[in-house]
Amino acid sequence: MSALKSYEPLVDSTVDFYLEQTERFYAATGKTCNFNRWLQFFAFDVIGELTWNKRLGYVEKDVDIDSIVTVLGDFLSYCAVVGQQPWLDLLINKNPIKMLLQRWGLVGKVFPITKFALERQAERAAEVEKIKLHGLPDSTDKQSGVDLLSKFTASIYEHPEFMTDDKALAASISMVFAGSETTGISLSAAFYYLLKNPRVYQKLMAELDEAVGNGTIVDRENGTVTWAEAQKLPYLDAVIQESFRLHPAAGLILERVVPPQGITVCGEFIPGGTIVGCNGWVIHRRPEIFGADVDTYRPERWLETSPEQLRDMKASMFQFGGGSRTCLGKNISLLEMYKLIPSFLRRFEVELEDPSKPWKCENHWFVRQVEFNAKFKPRQLHATV
Ligand code: HEM
């Protein structure tokens, strides 16, 4: 929790800027927004800020800089296929001839995100070297957020037997792979279900307005909501949980290998070496856990249920996976979502470009939304109750 709080200022700066840019590019012009892409740009820039203390620049320009988003998306689509058929990777990316040519520098190019990471590291070469030699300085202000590059570099100092320059670079880049599209997809789902369900949208706005009216949320000029304030809004929480339930970002099973001695699951013996796994899209639609109306978007299910059933529902949520390899960025992404969603809704009236048209989703391991277009209008910020 304390680490999470230290990240809040890093997320804040991107949230503030994102709201300003939404106003500039869309609300002020009436232009239609490719909302899933715009939310993905937000998620990319937050990761840049958290990892290198520098946004990648998407929110500033509203374009896919250096095609990083496209290249990453294509790579993840490739991984979805070779993840299921690993032998294909040996023919394509890990083809021994191709790898030999790469080693000789005859083929291959640097991933644009790797280039970005190397440039950031080079810009801060003196600081990075100092942290490697002496660790993080005692004077570091932990409250204002220490970026992940500094933390990964500090671990080279703290664990030289394990951590190396290459691993620190790989860890930084992994943050972008793991934390951008997932967060963009989860934000898109939360907004989409609200727009498709005007009753829920209005009820959430009533909760936000009432919270501003009674001082639970400070009535800031730019409409932003802090993490601590968002924690006091039960309906917002129910809205986010319900969208996670209906649209977990990962759409294939999260695989685990059974240990050599085998394992008994629900009375069935599974031999060692077997690949097993669960898929959130299946688990989140179990009627015995979530109720008979599992296919319906109904945030109230999180508020009206018995304490025992609520416990089972929470325990069955799988959007971040589970066990020892559960998502390491879970709290960071929750911080982003619980801040951006209420802040954005306070600031703008959002509507679908064509309410009769459902979005399209494609499962490339992450279940991406496409064709989710929306329009925004500036909204009266001050409390109406
Ligand atoms: C809403 C946003 C996110 C979703 C839905 C999500 C989902 C997931 C899932 C399903 C896994 C696999 C867990 C398993 O196999 O049990 C995972 C792993 C991981 N996630 Fe996330 N993630 C999100 C955001 C982030 C962010 C923001 C970061 C980093 C800043 C991040 C870093 C990681 C890492 C490093 C792993 C690998 C953990 C390991 O294998 O030990 N994730 N995430």
Side-chain angles (χ1 to χ4, degrees):
M1 206 49 208
S2 59
L4 185 64
K5 279 198 177 140
S6 80
Y7 289 126
E8 193 162 2
L10 294 172
V11 176
D12 280 344
S13 80
T14 307
V15 171
D16 294 351
F17 189 51
Y18 189 70
L19 296 177
E20 291 313 316
Q21 294 293 84
T22 305
E23 175 96 43
R24 188 175 144 220
F25 289 135
Y26 297 107
T29 60
K31 225 176 87 181
T32 297
C33 174
N34 177 341
F35 204 12
N36 50 292
R37 194 174 99 131
W38 185 230
L39 287 166
Q40 214 181 332
F41 283 0
F42 166 79
F44 266 83
D45 268 355
V46 172
I47 291 292
E49 187 94 59
L50 291 173
T51 310
W52 297 283
N53 216 337
K54 186 169 176 125
R55 289 192 281 268
L56 285 92
Y58 293 106
V59 177
E60 187 188 341
K61 303 212 166 87
D62 192 15
V63 290
D64 182 7
I65 295 163
D66 294 337
S67 304
I68 290 179
V69 174
T70 308
V71 172
L72 208 63
D74 290 349
F75 182 66
L76 287 170
S77 300
Y78 171 80
C79 291
V81 177
V82 300
Q84 300 308 302
Q85 299 291 336
W87 60 271
L88 275 176
D89 202 25
L90 294 175
L91 285 182
I92 309 170
N93 249 357
K94 298 211 175 73
N95 182 311
I97 299 172
K98 185 177 167 193
M99 289 177 77
L100 195 65
L101 294 174
Q102 265 173 353
R103 210 168 307 142
W104 290 341
L106 297 176
V107 295
K109 55 177 183 195
V110 180
F111 253 113
I113 188 62
T114 310
K115 195 168 152 265
F116 179 89
L118 288 168
E119 282 165 7
R120 299 291 77 74
Q121 231 156 305
E123 269 167 20
R124 291 166 53 182
E127 181 199 345
V128 165
E129 280 311 307
K130 225 180 199 173
I131 298 177
K132 263 162 58 181
L133 286 175
H134 308 291
L136 284 173
D138 289 340
S139 59
T140 306
D141 176 8
K142 305 270 184 332
Q143 292 310 310
S144 66
V146 178
D147 65 26
L148 294 171
L149 172 63
S150 307
K151 290 193 175 178
F152 292 141
T153 309
S155 65
I156 301 178
Y157 167 77
E158 284 156 19
H159 303 283
E161 74 291 351
F162 172 77
M163 202 63 172
T164 59
D165 285 347
D166 279 354
K167 282 184 183 162
L169 175 70
S172 307
I173 296 168
S174 309
M175 295 300 102
V176 181
F177 276 82
S180 48
E181 199 169 5
T182 45
T183 308
I185 287 172
S186 305
L187 280 166
S188 289
F191 280 108
Y192 177 78
Y193 286 117
L194 280 176
L195 297 178
K196 278 290 195 192
N197 295 274
R199 176 195 67 81
V200 176
Y201 186 175
Q202 279 161 23
K203 196 166 162 183
L204 178 59
M205 292 320 294
E207 181 181 69
L208 291 174
D209 285 343
E210 194 184 324
V212 175
N214 66 25
T216 306
I217 295 176
V218 174
D219 198 359
R220 295 176 189 84
E221 205 163 321
N222 63 1
T224 49
V225 177
T226 65
W227 164 256
E229 290 166 350
Q231 295 313 292
K232 295 179 198 144
L233 305 172
Y235 201 63
L236 173 72
D237 186 46
V239 159
I240 293 177
Q241 289 311 317
E242 188 68 348
S243 65
F244 270 140
R245 186 182 73 78
L246 281 179
H247 196 108
L252 297 179
I253 64 166
L254 303 180
E255 297 183 355
R256 301 292 192 268
V257 182
V258 175
Q261 67 275 23
I263 194 172
T264 301
V265 180
C266 301
E268 180 138 353
F269 181 76
I270 302 173
T274 312
I275 295 176
V276 294
C278 301
N279 185 335
W281 286 76
V282 177
I283 300 176
H284 292 182
R285 282 175 165 80
R286 289 178 66 194
E288 67 277 29
I289 304 285
F290 293 100
D293 60 346
V294 278
D295 291 323
T296 307
Y297 172 76
R298 194 172 62 82
E300 284 74 11
R301 78 179 73 244
W302 295 93
L303 302 169
E304 292 169 355
T305 187
S306 68
E308 295 74 35
Q309 198 185 351
L310 184 64
R311 193 197 53 221
D312 288 350
M313 284 163 63
K314 286 187 171 170
S316 304
M317 289 299 282
F318 206 58
Q319 71 276 22
F320 292 111
S324 58
R325 304 310 295 259
T326 194
C327 175
L328 285 180
K330 172 180 165 181
N331 289 332
I332 290 176
S333 55
L334 292 178
L335 176 69
E336 292 178 52
M337 293 178 69
Y338 279 80
K339 286 173 76 72
L340 183 72
I341 294 169
S343 305
F344 199 95
L345 292 172
R346 286 205 63 224
R347 191 72 183 263
F348 304 106
E349 274 174 34
V350 187
E351 52 186 44
L352 287 166
E353 183 196 31
D354 178 358
S356 65
K357 197 169 141 194
W359 64 4
K360 264 198 198 156
C361 293
E362 292 173 356
N363 185 358
H364 297 270
W365 159 242
F366 292 140
V367 186
R368 291 180 192 142
Q369 303 94 356
V370 279
E371 295 179 24
F372 171 27
N373 292 334
K375 286 180 167 271
F376 315 124
K377 281 191 218 137
R379 179 176 177 271
Q380 170 63 257
L381 262 182
H382 301 290
T384 52
V385 288

